[in-house]
Amino acid sequence: MSPVSPLRRHLLQSVLAASGSLALPSLHAAPGPAPLLTRPIPSSGEQIPVIGLGSWITFNVGRDPQARKECQEVMRQFFAGGGRMIDSSPMYGSAQDVIGEAIQAIKPQRLFSADKVWISGGARGVQQIEASRKLWRVPRFDLLQVHNLLSWEEHLKTLLAMKKEGRLRYVGITTSEGRRHGEIEKIMASQPIDFVQVSYNALDREVEQRILPLARERRIGVIANRPFRQGDLTQALAGKPLPGWAADIGCTTWAQALLKFIVSHPAVTCAIPATSSVAHVRENLLAGTGRMPDEALRKRIAQDAERLA
């Protein structure tokens, strides 16, 4: 065998050194945060993260500068963690203006703006929508919903016309606390809506019987509100040890387990827990990552929540 020349030896050493340096990051780099799971909006196929952000009560802070700053930081962390959908309403006091102020400061690249029309009369609805848009400081809304079905016949005509004209991307209806489900079903079956927003959590499961199956059949997205019963459910479970199944799906808190129960239902597009706490928004976003419960575990979560709450 002929001896290796000094030049060839130098080249081989350089290649080996380069190969070693390329391999090191895969061996030693710290893993990044798990990405938020997404679901397709049935009417369009657009992917949206399964954890959104509500604003009922939590963002109704008036002109309090410190409270507004805290809400802004919640939104900043929400977007940093991969969140997109923020939901509000004219019914929510100062929440729309608080959101708009934060949007102006943060300038998020992937906001999905979801608001509502909540007023008697179609003409007044047009005026309210424009007032809401100005409070949000957005050129247009992604989703507008008829809040609690108030004057829904008139408002749906307005929203569907806006969508046709390209001034709105999606149209929906809402209800809360289990009210008017019969009327919700009739609208879902007869109107070309993109979203329905209903209350759904481990204890309030009436929508599983008819509304969620109908949503899948009609290709309507589902937004789940009141995932913690406005905090009552998480408070009732506070201090109760998490069952062994929690570790199997990566949950360290009841809030995460309750959110995973909701967003693992195949008909649910997004859940919108409301919070004014940075720690809680981070906790909630983690529920949209990792392994989700299967149907058997979902039943177990509901049973344990009912037993312990």
Side-chain angles (χ1 to χ4, degrees):
M1 182 180 295
S2 61
V4 178
S5 69
L7 176 60
R8 187 178 178 190
R9 184 182 299 110
H10 174 73
L11 290 173
L12 286 171
Q13 288 173 344
S14 299
V15 169
L16 288 173
S19 300
S21 66
L22 291 172
L24 284 176
S26 64
L27 294 174
H28 301 292
L36 268 178
L37 299 176
T38 62
R39 283 273 172 82
I41 297 172
S43 65
S44 68
E46 177 185 357
Q47 295 284 332
I48 192 163
V50 296
I51 303 296
L53 181 64
S55 59
W56 168 236
I57 297 180
T58 53
F59 278 23
N60 183 19
V61 298
R63 301 304 309 174
D64 184 324
Q66 181 58 35
R68 281 178 169 249
K69 184 177 179 181
E70 290 168 1
C71 291
Q72 181 173 312
E73 188 58 28
V74 164
M75 285 178 55
R76 191 185 305 278
Q77 293 300 322
F78 174 73
F79 290 122
R84 285 189 63 199
M85 179 187 284
I86 296 183
D87 177 89
S88 195
S89 168
M91 181 187 180
Y92 299 171
S94 62
Q96 292 173 308
D97 187 49
V98 169
I99 290 169
E101 188 175 80
I103 288 172
Q104 195 170 43
I106 300 168
K107 296 179 174 56
Q109 294 186 345
R110 303 199 67 199
L111 166 69
F112 188 102
S113 53
D115 205 85
K116 307 179 183 78
V117 54
W118 183 69
I119 197 168
S120 297
R124 296 172 69 198
V126 173
Q127 296 168 1
Q128 186 183 70
I129 289 167
E130 180 59 15
S132 295
R133 186 194 66 78
K134 288 179 178 177
L135 288 170
W136 274 69
R137 286 86 151 171
V138 293
R140 68 172 181 173
F141 285 111
D142 292 294
L143 166 64
L144 280 172
Q145 306 152 94
V146 182
H147 195 30
N148 284 332
L149 303 187
L150 181 61
S151 298
W152 72 265
E153 296 97 334
E154 296 169 280
H155 293 321
L156 264 190
K157 290 178 184 177
T158 297
L159 300 187
L160 291 170
M162 289 177 65
K163 180 182 176 182
K164 185 176 181 180
E165 294 162 6
R167 295 187 292 125
L168 177 65
R169 299 178 65 217
Y170 299 104
V171 173
I173 57 174
T174 82
T175 186
S176 59
E177 302 183 45
R179 294 175 294 188
R180 302 177 73 175
H181 281 178
E183 195 168 1
I184 286 283
E185 290 175 41
K186 290 178 182 178
I187 298 170
M188 290 172 66
S190 63
Q191 301 295 323
I193 60 173
D194 303 291
F195 278 95
V196 60
Q197 183 178 144
V198 293
S199 295
Y200 182 48
N201 56 61
L203 298 189
D204 299 311
R205 300 172 59 196
E206 182 184 338
V207 295
E208 291 179 349
Q209 302 305 310
R210 294 173 63 94
I211 289 178
L212 297 187
L214 182 58
R216 295 193 77 185
E217 177 186 330
R218 295 280 294 171
R219 297 182 60 79
I220 297 171
V222 176
I223 301 170
N225 63 39
R226 303 185 82 246
F228 305 138
R229 282 188 167 182
Q230 209 169 302
D232 291 344
L233 184 51
T234 45
Q235 287 177 14
L237 292 169
K240 307 288 177 63
L242 278 168
W245 48 255
D248 295 336
I249 53 173
C251 293
T252 58
T253 67
W254 273 108
Q256 291 171 349
L258 295 170
L259 284 173
K260 286 208 172 194
F261 166 84
I262 295 167
V263 301
S264 60
H265 191 289
V268 172
T269 310
C270 181
I272 49 170
T275 182
S276 57
S277 162
V278 168
H280 286 167
V281 79
R282 289 172 177 163
E283 176 186 354
N284 294 342
L285 287 170
L286 285 173
T289 67
R291 182 185 167 195
M292 289 291 164
D294 58 18
E295 187 56 32
L297 184 50
R298 292 184 75 258
K299 291 179 180 177
R300 178 83 179 274
I301 294 171
Q303 290 170 353
D304 286 348
E306 186 172 2
R307 174 175 57 86
L308 295 170

